[in-house]
Structures are given as C-alpha cells and as structure tokens.
Amino acid sequence: MNNLPEKLKKRLLARQASDSLRTLKTYSAQYDFSSNDYLGMGRLQFESKEAFTSAGAGGSRLLTGNHDAYGVFEARLCDFHQQEAALVFNSGYDANLGLIAAVGLRGDLILYDALAHASIRDGIQLAQARAIKFRHNDLEHLEQLLATHMPEDASCYVITESVFSMDGDSPDLEAMVELCGTYKAHLIVDEAHALGVFGTRGVGLVQDLGLQDRLFARVVTFGKALGYHGAAVLGSVEVKSYLVNFARPLIYSTALAPKHVATLELRYQWLAESETSLQAIERLHRNIALLRSCIEKRKLSDYFIPSESAIHTVVIPGNSQVKAIAKQLSELGFGVLPILAPTVPEGSERIRICLHSYNDQESIKLLIDKLAEIIHKDAL
Ligand SMILES: Cc1ncc(COP(=O)(O)O)c(C=O)c1O
C-alpha cells in the first residue's frame, strides 16, 4: 500500500539521501561488542517461584496494577541504592519522560547537558519550564548559565548522565553537586550506563562518590547491565509521592507484569549478594583496562573519546564512511554498530564499542588490531 502523505515521504527520502535510513535488523555476532548487557545478566535465567494471581498487572499502578511484588522490589531498590524511596517505571524512557515533564513547571529553568539522551530531551519538550543546554560536561558553561538565568522565585533543575550513552564519558559529579548546592539547583542524574559497572557491587557512580543524599533524583534502568527491562526513579518520599500524582507514564500506562518485577528483584539480589556478580564486574573492568591499553598501543587514542566506562567510542566522521568501516569489522565477526547522524551530531558519527564481562581478551585485542589496520590505512 502506498499511503504515506507527501511530507512524510519526503522525510524518509531525506534519510535515504543522507545514508541514515533506519531499518529493523536482528543482531547476531560472533563477538558481541554492542549490547548493553555489560555483566552478561541477559544470558542468565532468573525465574520467580511465586505464583501470581495474574500474568499481567491488569492496569496502571494507580488502579489495579500495584501488586505486592512492586513493594518488595522497591524496598530492595531503596536498600541497594541507599535511598529513601524508589518508584518503578516501565522503561528508562518512561522514567525520564515522566520525571522531567512532571517537575519542570512554567517559570522554572532546566539546564541539561548537550549530549543528554533522547528520553531526557523528550521529557524537556513536554515540560513547561524554559530549557537551556550546556556544553557537554562543561561546568564553567553550566555555572555561567546558572549565574545568568537562575529564576528568582522558581526552581532550577540540572540534568546530566553519570555515563553518557554515546560517548561513554562522565561529568565531574562532585563539582556539579557543589555547583548545584551553591545555586540551589536540583540535580537529576541518569545512571543507565553506570549501574552494574561502577561502585561496589555495581551500585552506580553516584553512590561510588557518596553523593546519593545530595541529588534531587537518580534514574536507574534495568535494560542495560541488569539484562532485562524497566527502570526506577530514586529520591525522597516526597519526590515519589509527587511522581505518583503527576508522572503521566506511570499514571496512564499498564504497569509491568508482577512476574517481571519479581524477576527484577532476583536480578538485584544476584547483584547484591552473589559471588558470581563480583567476578563478572571484575572481568568487565579487566576488559575495559585491556581495551584502553590496546587503543594506546595501536596509537588510536586520538580517534577515541576518553572513557573509563564500558562504552568506548571511535569517531569516524560521515555516515557512509562509518558504515563502511563497521561493515568491514562485522564481516570479521565483530558485532560493532555504526552510530549515525542525526542520532549523534553531524561530523561526530562513530562506532560504539560496548564491553562485557563475557568478551574474551583475544577478541578485544583482535578488534583493536583490525580497527588500527583500517584506520591507519585510510588515515582518516
Ligand atoms: C542514558 C539513557 N537513559 C535512558 C535510556 C532509556 O532506557 P530504556 O532503554 O530502559 O528505555 C537509555 C537507553 O538507551 C539511555 O542510554
């Protein structure tokens, strides 16, 4: 059927013309360097033995969907993340959208990192507050904006990620907390790519730095290192109560099935208590250290964005060029994907390498050897 209105057709054609048309493909690779399953938890089976009265939640949590499993899991989250309250959302996208749209009221100011994830930017679009982005991880710019635009009798929210999804780098969170304290701004940190990776037992970067009591809210997501799906906002009891009343993705959407919530509880239990999770985190960090040393040895540092996280990014400008290099690597069995404009700004197209506890060291060395061969040959 040919029924797409002309204006929409044009948008698709423009995507084709810039070699950035998105299509749905299944992913399989001999060596996985792309999934967000940092600890291999997606490969583990966690089956709750509990007999639930209903397969699905049966409604929004505000109606019939608030099963006991939610309370148990949210208590686990509070304990693991040393936070007063936790509120589960269906996804990280929903959590950011719900939180930001609900708190940013008319007259308020939102300052957000220029590379913030789409879910943060979409939440900002829905919020009524004025929003200004600050240069990526640039605290001087953030301070300038705070000094110039801080509203007198309204709130200011500063939003960042503890590990950036596309660059793998981190802001100076301690300095940011200080700055927000000075200006009485409320700091929100998305920990999607820090959970399971940083801190004792993977508690995240905020807790690793002991900053959990100094934020307005944190977002943790369960589709990355937890290998599942869902997310939570962590904050005070007051923040939770506010979100239960005003976060629309929570109020107007069917809740996660109770068996999924019980499974999430088991996944957190594994992270919190098992010996194997400690080993997985250790293996992940060994792989991160190895990748970093291979990059240096192969003289690729200038092409990579500096990162200590599980995400490492080699910038290869131009959609067609980055696609061609990713294709060469994937034909050799390396599961790496090109990240194209407009997902990232034009000129900063890249291959994003995600490391895992289960990557074997030989494949990491081989990947960087091949990448060096291609890059140095083409002298990008
Ligand atoms: C930083 C960040 N926040 C939020 C999300 C959304 O999380 P979810 O996949 O659970 O919707 C992602 C996912 O890509 C992310 O990278």
Side-chain angles (χ1 to χ4, degrees):
M1 212 191 308
N2 210 346
N3 66 346
L4 206 57
E6 231 14 76
K7 275 200 290 192
L8 307 192
K9 247 183 226 161
K10 268 199 186 144
R11 295 187 80 198
L12 265 186
L13 287 172
R15 279 276 158 90
Q16 261 161 5
S18 60
D19 207 3
S20 61
L21 187 71
R22 293 172 170 138
T23 57
L24 299 173
K25 300 183 196 85
T26 50
Y27 170 77
S28 75
Q30 191 178 351
Y31 310 111
D32 173 22
F33 285 109
S34 279
S35 83
N36 297 131
D37 186 13
Y38 304 123
L39 299 179
M41 285 187 82
R43 299 167 173 214
L44 302 177
Q45 291 296 329
F46 295 89
E47 231 14 276
S48 170
K49 302 266 186 303
E50 233 172 299
F52 294 100
T53 48
S54 166
S60 148
R61 290 183 67 189
L62 270 295
L63 299 172
T64 59
N66 196 38
H67 299 263
D68 290 345
Y70 277 92
V72 173
F73 179 47
E74 286 175 346
R76 158 79 67 182
L77 286 171
C78 290
D79 186 45
F80 186 79
H81 287 296
Q82 298 176 342
Q83 198 78 50
E84 209 176 274
L87 183 63
V88 170
F89 282 76
N90 291 2
S91 69
Y93 186 91
D94 275 9
N96 276 330
L97 203 77
L99 167 67
I100 298 165
V103 300
L105 301 184
R106 198 177 304 284
D108 291 343
L109 175 67
I110 297 176
L111 300 176
Y112 65 102
D113 190 285
L115 297 190
H117 188 260
S119 55
I120 293 173
R121 285 185 279 119
D122 291 359
I124 290 170
Q125 288 275 322
L126 288 175
Q128 294 186 330
R130 177 180 182 207
I132 310 174
K133 63 182 166 197
F134 55 91
R135 287 190 291 272
H136 179 53
N137 284 344
D138 185 338
L139 293 199
E140 269 179 39
H141 191 210
L142 173 61
E143 176 148 32
Q144 269 171 26
L145 295 175
L146 283 165
T148 318
H149 299 285
M150 189 74 190
E152 279 206 349
D153 49 2
S155 303
C156 172
Y157 299 91
V158 173
I159 309 179
T160 192
E161 296 171 25
S162 53
V163 173
F164 278 84
S165 58
M166 286 299 150
D167 288 41
D169 56 354
S170 301
D172 181 344
L173 280 179
E174 283 165 312
M176 216 161 193
V177 161
E178 288 302 324
L179 196 54
C180 289
T182 305
Y183 286 87
K184 300 202 171 15
H186 305 290
L187 181 58
I188 296 175
V189 179
D190 179 333
E191 290 246 83
H193 299 279
L195 175 63
V197 177
F198 287 113
T200 309
R201 288 200 168 269
V203 289
L205 202 50
V206 168
Q207 269 167 273
D208 193 31
L209 299 169
L211 301 174
Q212 60 274 20
D213 295 329
R214 303 185 65 192
L215 305 187
F216 176 75
R218 253 183 297 171
V219 172
V220 286
T221 70
F222 313 136
K224 321 269 183 218
L226 268 283
Y228 209 59
H229 59 89
V233 175
L234 311 173
S236 66
V237 169
E238 261 186 351
V239 166
K240 177 170 178 173
S241 168
Y242 181 79
L243 294 177
V244 167
N245 281 277
F246 295 104
R248 296 171 72 84
L250 179 94
I251 301 166
Y252 296 108
S253 185
T254 301
L256 290 179
K259 66 173 180 200
H260 290 324
V261 178
T263 301
L264 281 168
E265 217 280 309
L266 295 178
R267 285 172 181 270
Y268 256 84
Q269 190 181 355
W270 183 81
L271 201 56
E273 295 169 12
S274 80
E275 187 55 35
T276 41
S277 72
L278 286 177
Q279 291 161 358
I281 294 172
E282 207 180 291
R283 280 199 308 277
L284 171 65
H285 282 280
R286 226 180 294 141
N287 285 343
I288 294 171
L290 175 67
L291 183 94
R292 283 164 54 105
S293 83
C294 291
I295 289 170
E296 219 178 285
K297 249 192 241 151
R298 290 281 166 197
K299 302 200 176 357
L300 289 175
S301 304
D302 289 349
Y303 296 93
F304 273 84
I305 295 172
S307 158
E308 291 172 20
S309 73
I311 300 168
H312 292 258
T313 290
V314 53
V315 175
I316 298 166
N319 280 346
S320 302
Q321 191 163 7
V322 73
K323 273 170 91 170
I325 293 180
K327 187 163 175 276
Q328 282 185 61
L329 291 170
S330 68
E331 280 167 2
L332 295 169
F334 301 109
V336 292
L337 299 174
I339 311 285
L340 309 177
T343 302
V344 290
E346 225 170 278
S348 75
E349 295 81 357
R350 71 231 7 228
I351 290 175
R352 182 168 169 264
I353 299 170
C354 292
L355 291 173
H356 312 95
S357 56
Y358 52 82
N359 291 130
D360 72 273
Q361 301 223 321
E362 235 5 79
S363 68
I364 295 173
K365 287 183 202 154
L366 256 177
L367 169 66
I368 298 303
D369 283 351
K370 288 292 164 197
L371 190 64
E373 232 173 70
I374 295 169
I375 285 184
H376 293 316
K377 178 163 80 60
D378 292 352
L380 288 172

